[in-house]
Amino acid sequence: MNSPANLNALQTAATPTVTASTNKRTESCAAWSLEAVEALFALPFADLLWQAQQVHRAHWNPLGVQLSTLLSVKTGGCPEDCAYCPQSVRYDTGVSNQAMLPVAEVLAAAQRAKEAGASRFCMGAAWRSPKDRDLEPIAEMIQGVRALGLETCATLGMLKPAQAERLKDAGLDYYNHNLDSAPDFYGDIIQTREYQDRLDTLQAVRAAGINVCCGGIVGMGETSQQRAGLIAQLANLNPAPESVPINLLVQVKGTPLHGQDPLDPLDFVRTIAVARITMPLSRVRLSAGREDMSDAVQALCFLAGANSIFYGEQLLTTPNPEADRDRTLLQRLGMHAE
Ligand code: SAM
Ligand code: DTB
Ligand code: SF4
């Protein structure tokens, strides 16, 4: 068994330093090895949380939580085969297709989100990748949401470099594009696009000067090593993503992943803690899956270093906790929106 001294040596050797003002690792610094990330997952729960809290408190106000509200601006009918997704045309999930919403409707929803206390508004579309002509109304949405004083985020599928530049010109602050899983589990979940396609989109987003929001989903039947593989991939993006959404699979009837054995909630908390330790300067978002999560488990996620949530009663097509429940939870924990 590892003594505490041995663990400390392992952690010190494995912890890359990051520069103070960006997520970019210093040149001389090693990336996170898969073994080092697996070793974090293998720590006793209390030791892992203690380490995560130290990292969290060194870089962030531990009482602050960033609130992002989601809106599906184009729903369903997606040609991709992502095994978790209720919006794929391949699965009978009862989600009704909805063409792109009018800009005015999107701006009205953004205004409501702002009044409810959100600081970021994220627009999602069920596309494999947008067509150039799709980006014109999206650009209007981005300009309008920004004019309301909200940060803007979009998740529209794969982007070409020129499309990322178009979104940057429109004022997009963040682009969400998830790696979703470890590379060695990815083929079990998605066959219609490659892991490398995702990395290419992330590169286009980064090159355009847009902040990267990139995370994944756990509870899809992956092993603990594969959860470590996902986090290692995210942490080794250089720079690390500014926002890291950690989603717990929302099991939707009709999708291939419906009926999956649920993840032990403590393993979800562990994933948040390891994300916090390996990506000290990133916002780690406790993302999908909160609807069925107890307040106590959510509190553990905040202790483990989560400092962002999706806020508002709907994710894209599935429910999220009522805003009132979240406000009450934050108040009970002495935490606040930032
Ligand atoms: N179609 C675009 C794409 O896939 O890049 C953007 C929207 S897609 C719904 C955004 C992300 O939502 C996915 O990458 C996945 O991580 C997450 N997601 C979708 N369905 C989910 C589910 N049932 N549970 C948890 N996360 C889910
Ligand atoms: C992310 O990582 N999670 C959000 C957002 N980015 C776009 C989406 C969660 C979707 C959950 C299933 C649904 O509501 O359709
Ligand atoms: Fe389509 Fe995105 Fe759903 Fe995959 S996750 S099926 S790309 S909407």
Side-chain angles (χ1 to χ4, degrees):
M1 211 167 107
N2 270 319
S3 69
N6 285 344
L7 282 174
N8 283 340
L10 172 69
Q11 288 148 16
T12 309
T15 306
T17 52
V18 286
T19 58
S21 58
T22 73
N23 280 2
K24 209 162 171 77
R25 285 191 306 275
T26 52
E27 291 298 322
S28 58
C29 198
W32 280 95
S33 71
L34 182 58
E35 293 69 31
V37 180
E38 285 178 357
L40 289 174
F41 271 95
L43 284 172
F45 191 75
D47 291 346
L48 175 61
L49 255 69
W50 171 236
Q51 206 181 127
Q53 288 195 349
Q54 287 177 295
V55 172
H56 193 195
R57 283 172 181 265
H59 297 283
W60 298 92
N61 175 349
L63 304 180
V65 185
Q66 186 274 328
L67 308 181
S68 286
T69 295
L70 276 169
L71 179 69
S72 181
V73 301
K74 185 270 170 192
T75 306
C78 181
E80 301 289 273
D81 69 352
C82 313
Y84 48 75
C85 186
Q87 301 197 68
S88 167
V89 76
R90 297 161 193 249
Y91 316 132
D92 188 6
T93 62
V95 167
S96 330
N97 296 350
Q98 164 78 63
M100 197 166 346
L101 295 178
V103 174
E105 210 173 302
V106 173
L107 298 188
Q111 177 65 37
R112 288 194 297 276
K114 184 182 162 129
E115 283 162 11
S119 64
R120 191 179 305 167
F121 191 70
C122 179
M123 295 157 273
W127 286 317
R128 170 181 163 82
S129 51
K131 298 190 174 57
D132 288 347
R133 66 168 181 273
D134 294 327
L135 292 186
E136 293 319 308
I138 296 281
E140 269 186 67
M141 292 172 196
I142 291 167
Q143 279 155 3
V145 170
R146 226 167 179 239
L148 293 173
L150 285 162
E151 289 180 323
T152 54
C153 178
T155 181
L156 316 170
M158 293 184 285
L159 292 184
K160 297 194 272 294
Q163 295 182 312
E165 278 158 30
R166 174 75 190 93
L167 294 172
K168 172 69 181 172
D169 289 345
L172 188 67
D173 296 307
Y174 290 81
Y175 193 78
N176 167 242
H177 197 68
N178 291 337
L179 289 178
D180 277 348
S181 75
D184 64 341
F185 187 56
Y186 184 84
D188 290 16
I189 303 296
I190 299 158
Q191 262 145 37
T192 49
R193 74 173 85 161
E194 304 289 321
Y195 210 79
Q196 187 59 46
D197 295 326
R198 292 183 182 261
L199 295 170
D200 292 347
T201 292
L202 293 171
Q203 177 50 37
V205 169
R206 187 55 86 197
I210 301 170
N211 291 305
V212 170
C213 173
C214 181
I217 311 179
V218 296
M220 298 195 291
E222 73 285 343
T223 62
S224 160
Q225 283 79 7
Q226 287 165 333
R227 280 191 284 285
L230 166 66
I231 300 295
Q233 284 288 327
L234 295 168
N236 287 332
L237 293 172
N238 194 14
E242 281 74 18
S243 258
V244 179
I246 304 294
N247 296 277
L248 177 62
L249 174 69
V250 179
Q251 298 204 12
V252 179
K253 210 164 163 215
T255 59
L257 291 183
H258 183 250
Q260 195 66 46
D261 284 345
L263 186 70
D264 177 345
L266 297 185
D267 284 335
F268 185 79
V269 178
R270 277 194 174 86
T271 310
I272 297 272
V274 176
R276 167 49 65 226
I277 293 165
T278 56
M279 293 171 275
L281 300 178
S282 306
R283 281 268 176 202
V284 174
R285 183 173 307 126
L286 161 55
S287 302
R290 290 196 303 116
E291 175 72 351
D292 297 324
M293 210 178 270
S294 69
D295 289 351
V297 169
Q298 293 187 56
L300 279 175
C301 290
F302 294 131
L303 290 178
N307 58 358
S308 172
I309 56 172
F310 284 126
Y311 174 67
E313 42 288 341
Q314 172 108 338
L315 292 167
L316 292 174
T317 66
T318 64
N320 195 44
E322 296 287 334
D324 261 357
R325 177 181 157 195
D326 282 341
R327 282 193 291 261
T328 305
L329 177 61
L330 292 183
Q331 200 176 24
R332 284 165 66 210
L333 296 171
M335 298 179 76
H336 56 79
E338 64 177 12

